[in-house]
Structure formats: structure tokens, C-alpha cells
Amino acid sequence: MKCILIFSLILTTFSISAQMTPEQVVQKQLETYNNRDIEGFMSVIDDFVKMVDFTSGKVTLEGSDACRKVYTSLFEASPKLHSKILTRTVFDNKVIDHEYITGRKGSDIPIELVLIYEVDHEKITKMTVLRKQ
């Protein structure tokens, strides 16, 4: 009986530690973004994801179907798309990335954004975007 209890405790500990941290979820999203891998990208996006403009508070994207449509189009139009993380801060279930994006829709003009990702149960539930004025 003791062996069964110990084995059960080990399995529980292993399954808890096998979960991705919020930072690992966002890192996977970044890597699949840079590879323009829509399936990998969507694997860490919540069904009810929201994208919000920080300045106005306006919801600019809502739901995984809308997210898939936007990013599929972006990936197809951006063969040289790449995001480099300038700084990353992790605070509880939030990951704050200062990103430097090149190759967006074939443009030579880089974009700098700050994104605040909120992660719950290994899925990105909200992305708040800060753009330079």
C-alpha cells in the first residue's frame, strides 16, 4: 500500500511539473510565430482569446477563429517575419515582452511593440498591445 501511495505521489508531482509555465507558453508562441507555423501558434491560444489596444482599451480581436484568420493571413504575407525580444518580464501569469518585429507584410520598416500576455492553463487568454505614439 505504501508503494502505491508513493508511486501516486511521484506521478502527481511529475504531471504538475510537466505543465508549461506562462513564460514557456509565450516562448512557444514566439517560436511558432517566427516559424510562421499557424498550428503551433494556435496550440497555445485560448478559444476565447482577446487582443486589446492598451491606449484605447478597445478589443481589436476576439476568439480563436478570428486569431487564426488574422495570423494565417499575416504569415502568408510575411515570408521574412521575425520578432526579437528586447526585454521580457514575467510576473505571475503575465509575460511582458518588448518586441522588435521585422518583415511584417514584406515591409523593411521595423515595428516595436510591448505585448502583455496573460496565460491561464497553458493558453494565452489575452494580449494587450502597446504601440509607440
Side-chain angles (χ1 to χ4, degrees):
M1 187 67 162
K2 259 186 176 177
C3 287
I4 293 172
L5 268 169
I6 291 170
F7 184 69
S8 177
L9 183 61
I10 290 169
L11 282 178
T12 302
T13 303
F14 178 73
S15 67
I16 290 171
S17 66
Q19 290 183 333
M20 288 192 293
T21 66
E23 183 175 16
Q24 290 169 325
V25 169
V26 172
Q27 184 61 35
K28 180 175 180 179
Q29 184 261 4
L30 173 71
E31 290 167 4
T32 57
Y33 176 94
N34 283 339
N35 290 326
R36 299 178 304 116
D37 169 10
I38 193 63
E39 295 308 320
F41 184 87
M42 293 304 299
S43 74
V44 293
I45 300 295
D46 187 74
D47 289 341
F48 305 101
V49 68
K50 288 184 182 179
M51 185 176 284
V52 178
D53 179 76
F54 179 83
T55 303
S56 69
K58 179 182 174 188
V59 175
T60 58
L61 181 146
E62 193 164 5
S64 62
D65 290 341
C67 185
R68 178 181 290 276
K69 184 177 178 181
V70 165
Y71 282 92
T72 295
S73 176
L74 176 64
F75 293 168
E76 288 172 355
S78 310
K80 294 183 180 180
L81 184 65
H82 185 79
S83 178
K84 177 182 176 185
I85 302 304
L86 301 178
T87 61
R88 172 173 280 170
T89 301
V90 180
F91 185 77
D92 193 29
N93 72 324
K94 291 160 189 74
V95 178
I96 305 163
D97 281 349
H98 180 184
E99 299 187 21
Y100 185 85
I101 302 168
T102 55
R104 192 171 190 279
K105 295 186 179 180
S107 176
D108 292 332
I109 301 169
I111 301 169
E112 273 188 72
L113 301 172
V114 172
L115 284 115
I116 303 169
Y117 298 95
E118 295 182 36
V119 179
D120 191 27
H121 296 97
E122 299 181 307
K123 299 284 186 175
I124 296 170
T125 58
K126 185 176 179 184
M127 296 178 271
T128 303
V129 182
L130 288 80
R131 296 176 182 358
K132 281 189 171 183
Q133 296 295 322

